[in-house]
Amino acid sequence: QGKSMLAAKILREEISEGKKAVILDMGGSFKKLTRYHGGNEIRQSINPMQFSEPIFLREFILANITATGASGKAPLAEKDLGLMLKLIKAALINTPQLNFNELIAALTPGFPEIDNYFEETKSFFGRELLPENAITYVDLAHYPVKFQAPLILFLIAYFKQLPGEKIFLIDECWNLLKHHADFV
């Protein structure tokens, strides 16, 4: 007991010293603290194209695709991972203002019907860039389980690009371990 309360005290101290924070919450424990400090709250959509780095985008796409598809086939072979990376690089070069849906469309020559994997999550992809802020907060309870792993990857990429000292707080981490242990 008291882990979230202790984490909140540590977080307040770190923020008062000028550190930035990314908070991955489950159930709203840190929402008031975020609002009090004027932080960003990710409420609905993210723009994975904010980090137009080919390997990040490939991993983000793979996080949206289950290990075995509807046909029960094995995960992507190494050559398919290479093909996906090649197609992502070509799309980024050929279309400077590429959005995520256009990127997925650019993968269809090598991965027919790949867009079907995103049917459940496509409403969570936007065009807005997430601005840098002292605190960035997301409540995973607002997202389907299928979207949580890609969201975690996005937050990690966002966290890495923040300048200065920073802290990544995961509240109720035990709940993430059931579905997303590899990402945690």
Side-chain angles (χ1 to χ4, degrees):
Q1 289 181 321
K3 296 177 294 294
S4 295
M5 186 183 276
L6 176 61
K9 288 182 180 201
I10 293 170
L11 184 61
R12 278 189 213 99
E13 180 67 27
E14 297 295 320
I15 291 167
S16 72
E17 293 178 6
K19 294 182 177 114
K20 293 178 175 51
V22 173
I23 303 168
L24 186 57
D25 198 1
M26 184 68 91
S29 302
F30 289 85
K31 189 178 225 172
K32 286 182 183 177
L33 185 132
T34 300
R35 287 184 177 167
Y36 178 78
H37 289 283
N40 287 334
E41 182 179 346
I42 300 174
R43 292 192 187 122
Q44 181 65 24
S45 65
I46 59 171
N47 181 358
M49 301 309 291
Q50 181 162 346
F51 311 106
S52 291
E53 201 284 312
I55 291 178
F56 163 77
L57 290 169
R58 181 185 68 186
E59 295 307 311
F60 187 87
I61 290 165
L62 292 173
N64 277 276
I65 298 172
T66 56
T68 57
S71 64
K73 292 182 182 175
L76 291 178
E78 196 66 34
K79 69 179 182 87
D80 292 327
L81 294 174
L83 174 61
M84 183 178 284
L85 192 59
K86 182 188 279 186
L87 292 171
I88 290 169
K89 287 177 181 178
L92 291 172
I93 290 169
N94 295 333
T95 313
Q97 298 300 321
L98 189 69
N99 69 44
F100 190 69
N101 290 331
E102 292 167 340
L103 176 63
I104 296 304
L107 297 178
T108 57
F111 303 91
E113 300 181 10
I114 191 171
D115 59 320
N116 291 335
Y117 286 105
F118 297 89
E119 193 59 35
E120 183 182 347
T121 60
K122 68 181 174 184
S123 65
F124 298 107
F125 302 116
R127 293 177 179 257
E128 301 272 327
L129 299 179
L130 182 61
E132 184 183 308
N133 200 312
I135 301 176
T136 300
Y137 168 88
V138 64
D139 186 347
L140 281 180
H142 297 303
Y143 298 95
V145 171
K146 183 175 172 70
F147 189 69
Q148 290 177 357
L151 183 56
I152 292 168
L153 285 177
F154 177 85
L155 290 172
I156 291 169
Y158 177 80
F159 178 78
K160 286 180 178 180
Q161 60 88 38
L162 287 173
E165 293 185 61
K166 52 204 168 202
I167 185 169
F168 198 119
L169 177 77
I170 303 175
D171 192 42
E172 305 297 344
C173 186
W174 61 270
N175 198 1
L176 293 174
L177 294 176
K178 184 190 300 183
H179 298 288
H180 311 299
D182 291 344
F183 296 102
V184 173

